[in-house]
């Protein structure tokens, strides 16, 4: 009899352990579900299964891992080409009026071998280009 009891408790513990692992993988209280399953046996495991099926929301991990960075913009003076990254209404260099129409995306010069590319639109640009001729991005 004692041997059978040990076996039952052993199997019980394995079920509780499996529930705990699964629960914590899903971001739930593994300990709580393990105790519930261990105390109530199969009933706890069934309750757990129903709760998970009803309430589990599959998390889109890819979307969560890669938040889209808002593309930076600067205002470029049409008169003297100086850059203002805090949306100024007047050029700090020459006093020319700046507006939303002077806003340009901020890009980087990407380098592949001897060529340079605009990080914003991926078109090829000159080696020393300060702006992208295709999309107007400022480097
Ligand atoms: Zn200016
Ligand atoms: Zn570009």
């Amino acid at each position: 009899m004692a041997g059978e009891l040990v076996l039952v408790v052993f199997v019980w513990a394995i079920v509780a352990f499996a529930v705990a692992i699964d629960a914590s993988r899903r971001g739930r209280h593994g300990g709580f579900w393990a105790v519930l399953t261990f105390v109530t046996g199969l009933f706890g495991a069934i309750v757990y299964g129903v709760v998970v099926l009803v309430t589990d929301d599959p998390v889109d991990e890819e979307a969560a891992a890669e938040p889209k960075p808002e593309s930076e913009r600067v205002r470029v003076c049409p008169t003297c080409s100086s850059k203002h990254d805090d949306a100024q209404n007047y050029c700090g260099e020459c006093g020319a009026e700046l507006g939303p129409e002077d806003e340009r995306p901020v890009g980087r010069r990407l380098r592949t071998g001897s060529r340079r590319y605009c990080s914003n639109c991926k078109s090829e640009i000159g080696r020393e280009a300060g702006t992208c001729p295709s999309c107007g991005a400022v480097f």
Side-chain angles (χ1 to χ4, degrees):
M1 273 310 273
E4 276 172 28
L5 188 66
V6 167
L7 187 69
V8 168
V9 169
F10 184 63
V11 170
W12 224 302
I14 287 176
V15 171
F17 189 60
V19 166
I21 299 272
D22 189 65
S24 53
R25 252 213 330 250
R26 291 171 194 269
R28 292 163 193 277
H29 288 282
F32 168 74
W33 286 106
V35 169
L36 185 74
T37 306
F38 194 71
V39 170
T40 62
L42 198 55
F43 180 70
I46 291 170
V47 168
Y48 174 72
V50 170
V51 167
V52 164
L53 281 181
V54 170
T55 64
D56 208 28
D57 247 341
V59 179
D60 193 349
E61 279 178 27
E62 227 171 291
E66 266 185 74
K68 274 220 159 184
E70 223 174 279
S71 86
E72 250 184 281
R73 299 183 79 82
V74 291
R75 289 189 175 183
V76 178
C77 174
T79 309
C80 71
S81 300
S82 59
K83 299 162 195 170
H84 305 282
D85 56 7
D86 46 0
Q88 290 183 41
N89 293 321
Y90 291 95
C91 174
E93 300 295 321
C94 71
E97 218 173 305
L98 302 179
E101 71 276 6
D102 299 313
E103 280 182 11
R104 307 271 195 86
V106 176
R108 282 178 302 120
R109 272 190 289 257
L110 303 177
R111 187 175 163 171
T112 307
S114 62
R115 296 179 174 192
R116 304 290 188 280
Y117 295 89
C118 168
S119 69
N120 193 54
C121 69
K122 308 290 186 287
S123 61
E124 196 173 343
I125 56 173
R127 184 179 283 263
E128 302 299 333
T131 57
C132 173
S134 303
C135 70
V138 182
F139 307 123

